[in-house]
């Protein structure tokens, strides 16, 4: 490790190990326990060096077991950028002026799954938790899309988890945003149509009270459905007069990582004819 | 504050102030500095009480200036749920079995703005930062949607900020996901069409190198556009043969909060005729 002079004291202070990021900044990943005062000195010395090198953003990733060290970074002016269960990421901006670091994630993504078999029955569930618990309401399977997961993959996975039904993804029929769904965050809800590939339901014990194939007319007759804006879309889809956004594989920039462009490919095909 | 017996010691320990949440749990918002050991004792006693009351999830919100207290919560088994610049939210689950607390936000949301005037010119910019910096490439305005902001509002705001052009939102033409856009998070990109309501460009000094109305044919002639999947959609839209998802106001559950359902309303209208 290098040695530097800190604030005119002639003193040898170790520097923090860091790697450069792609935006003129540095990333520090703490992994070893150390004395809080020692860490504070190392951090001060490291910032002085990074400043002299013209570095911009500084990231410090603190694993949960070293959370006691966060205090020293906060005293130097770091703020919290984001956290996951096992770590806290702090950020700091060396140059004058407003920082240009990326924002923290702002949205959760969830899906609603419209799955109809060829007997005009839809796949519906009653949940053990949530606002519909104990109401007797039969609703379409819903669930959260994981980070790093595509919407089409998340919809297939959620239907499989809740009901054991295999499906193929057809298209996104519609979407909406809800805000402050938990604390300050927003939620993007994608209404998806899937085609069933299997028919024997096995409900998930932990989350699902009951699941069934329900005749479409019985589903629609439920009072909450009468007021439900999406039913017109489901009806039009059933009549084959509605076209949403199916996922079309994109020529991906990252080999091995599949990406999809969701758009109205029927319109595009007909415009090319 | 109440008094309880902790671990058979006959000792008076204050409890943490908490409020109940809507899911059988409690929320603690720390606001006053205290000794780490005192906080650890109060937390232990509070958890014992909440357990006896059958409480489920426990949230502790620690403001950045009290980050030294996080250590005690981690020792009790709390993990990090999420963080924002000024606070860290820790979570704990009292019952046996897996927790059912909501996931942290997983996605950033951004927009690409396709804005064409009636001279077949598109609104394009050159950015001061980012991967296109210094390449001479003219691209459509892009930007991030804030948490709590609707996609249509975010698109209008970003175009205004970067170019001073007023617009009205027409529709979402397409969208795609990219993963690991920063750290482990994903990004949802919405390609939006907007109609210009003003025409005098004033570029944003901080982020935009240059901005102009560019003839469509010149835009398309750029090498990067030749390989760009979205161009066929822009072309079809220009020919009025493509229909995306415009936002249609929803009967909102929360009065005063406007929500939009994005869907193919042309198909729906024609199916009702």
């Amino acid at each position: 490790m290098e040695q530097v002079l800190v604030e005119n004291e002639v003193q040898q202070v170790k520097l923090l190990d860091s790697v450069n990021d792609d935006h003129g900044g540095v990333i520090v990943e703490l992994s070893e326990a150390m004395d809080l005062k020692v860490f504070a000195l190392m951090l001060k010395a490291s910032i002085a060096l990074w400043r002299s090198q013209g570095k911009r953003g500084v990231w410090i990733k603190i694993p949960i077991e070293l959370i006691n060290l966060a205090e020293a970074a906060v005293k130097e002016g770091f703020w919290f950028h984001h956290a996951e269960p096992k770590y806290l990421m702090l950020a700091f901006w060396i140059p004058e002026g407003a920082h240009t670091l990326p924002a923290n994630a702002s949205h959760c993504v969830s899906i609603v799954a419209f799955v109809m078999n060829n007997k005009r029955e839809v796949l519906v569930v009653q949940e053990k938790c949530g606002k519909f618990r104990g109401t007797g309401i039969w609703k379409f399977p819903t669930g959260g899309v994981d980070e790093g997961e595509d919407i089409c993959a998340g919809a297939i996975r959620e239907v499989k988890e809740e009901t054991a039904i295999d499906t193929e993804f057809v298209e996104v029929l519609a979407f909406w945003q809800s805000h402050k769904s938990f604390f300050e965050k927003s939620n993007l809800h994608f209404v998806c149509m899937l085609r069933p590939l299997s028919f024997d339901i096995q409900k998930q014990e932990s989350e699902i009270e009951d699941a069934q194939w329900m005749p479409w007319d019985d589903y629609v007759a439920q009072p909450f459905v009468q007021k439900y804006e999406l039913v017109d879309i489901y009806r039009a889809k059933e009549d084959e007069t509605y076209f949403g956004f199916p996922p079309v594989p994109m020529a991906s920039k990252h080999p091995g990582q599949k990406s999809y462009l969701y758009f109205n490919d029927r319109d595009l095909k007909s415009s090319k004819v």
Side-chain angles (χ1 to χ4, degrees), chain A:
Chain A
M1 288 197 178
E2 295 172 59
Q3 294 162 6
V4 292
L5 302 183
V6 182
E7 290 174 358
N8 301 324
E9 292 174 57
V10 182
Q11 175 181 340
Q12 294 181 350
V13 181
K14 284 188 178 172
L15 294 173
L16 296 167
D17 284 326
S18 67
V19 295
N20 294 327
D21 68 19
D22 296 337
H23 308 279
V26 294
I27 304 171
V28 174
E29 289 203 26
L30 299 180
S31 59
E32 279 173 38
M34 63 182 109
D35 182 81
L36 182 61
K37 282 181 189 148
V38 171
F39 173 65
L41 283 173
M42 289 173 78
L43 181 57
K44 257 186 211 297
S46 300
I47 291 174
L49 175 68
W50 295 324
R51 179 170 278 127
S52 74
Q53 294 171 334
K55 296 293 182 194
R56 294 154 59 87
V58 180
W59 302 95
I60 299 185
K61 184 174 178 178
I62 299 189
I64 190 165
E65 65 273 15
L66 303 182
I67 189 61
N68 67 304
L69 300 179
E71 187 182 350
V74 169
K75 281 190 180 140
E76 286 302 315
F78 280 73
W79 67 90
F80 303 153
H81 187 272
H82 67 276
E84 292 298 324
K86 298 279 183 209
Y87 73 86
L88 172 63
M89 184 71 80
L90 294 109
F92 182 67
W93 187 246
I94 294 178
E96 296 290 310
H99 77 79
T100 61
L101 300 175
N104 189 4
S106 54
H107 283 69
C108 291
V109 175
S110 60
I111 58 92
V112 178
F114 172 52
V115 186
M116 185 180 267
N117 65 21
N118 54 16
K119 297 181 211 164
R120 285 190 82 228
E121 294 167 334
V122 284
L123 184 61
V124 292
V125 299
Q126 289 183 338
E127 291 177 349
K128 287 189 174 172
C129 300
K131 62 180 176 181
F132 290 123
R133 185 168 76 103
T135 59
I137 285 176
W138 292 95
K139 57 188 278 298
F140 291 168
T142 55
V145 175
D146 294 333
E147 63 189 25
E149 184 179 47
D150 251 79
I151 291 159
C152 50
I156 290 170
R157 178 185 53 73
E158 281 289 345
V159 170
K160 177 80 175 176
E161 281 178 12
E162 293 194 355
T163 66
I165 297 296
D166 293 307
T167 53
E168 67 178 341
F169 192 87
V170 179
E171 64 184 20
V172 170
L173 298 174
F175 60 86
W176 80 94
Q177 284 173 290
S178 59
H179 300 300
K180 303 206 174 191
S181 53
F182 79 93
F183 303 107
E184 296 305 310
K185 299 299 179 176
S186 300
N187 204 324
L188 258 163
H189 308 261
F190 288 88
V191 184
C192 304
M193 184 182 186
L194 299 97
R195 191 173 294 126
L197 300 174
S198 72
F199 303 92
D200 289 338
I201 293 172
Q202 280 189 302
K203 71 184 169 75
Q204 184 183 40
E205 285 306 322
S206 59
E207 291 177 30
I208 302 298
E209 189 63 42
D210 208 352
Q212 65 163 328
W213 289 106
M214 187 180 215
W216 171 247
D217 294 335
D218 293 352
Y219 171 77
V220 174
Q222 297 182 96
F224 91 99
V225 176
Q226 304 288 316
K227 293 179 289 182
Y228 196 44
E229 282 127 328
L230 289 165
V231 170
D232 289 340
I233 296 176
Y234 300 141
R235 277 210 186 91
K237 190 70 213 173
E238 206 218 324
D239 296 341
E240 299 184 357
T241 56
Y242 183 88
F243 289 82
F245 285 1
V248 177
M250 289 171 90
S252 180
K253 293 156 200 165
H254 305 285
Q257 202 195 342
K258 228 177 187 171
S259 275
Y260 299 92
L261 188 66
Y262 294 76
F263 67 98
N264 185 337
D265 72 333
R266 180 198 49 163
D267 276 7
L268 207 62
K269 280 177 199 153
S270 55
S271 82
K272 281 184 174 172
V273 173

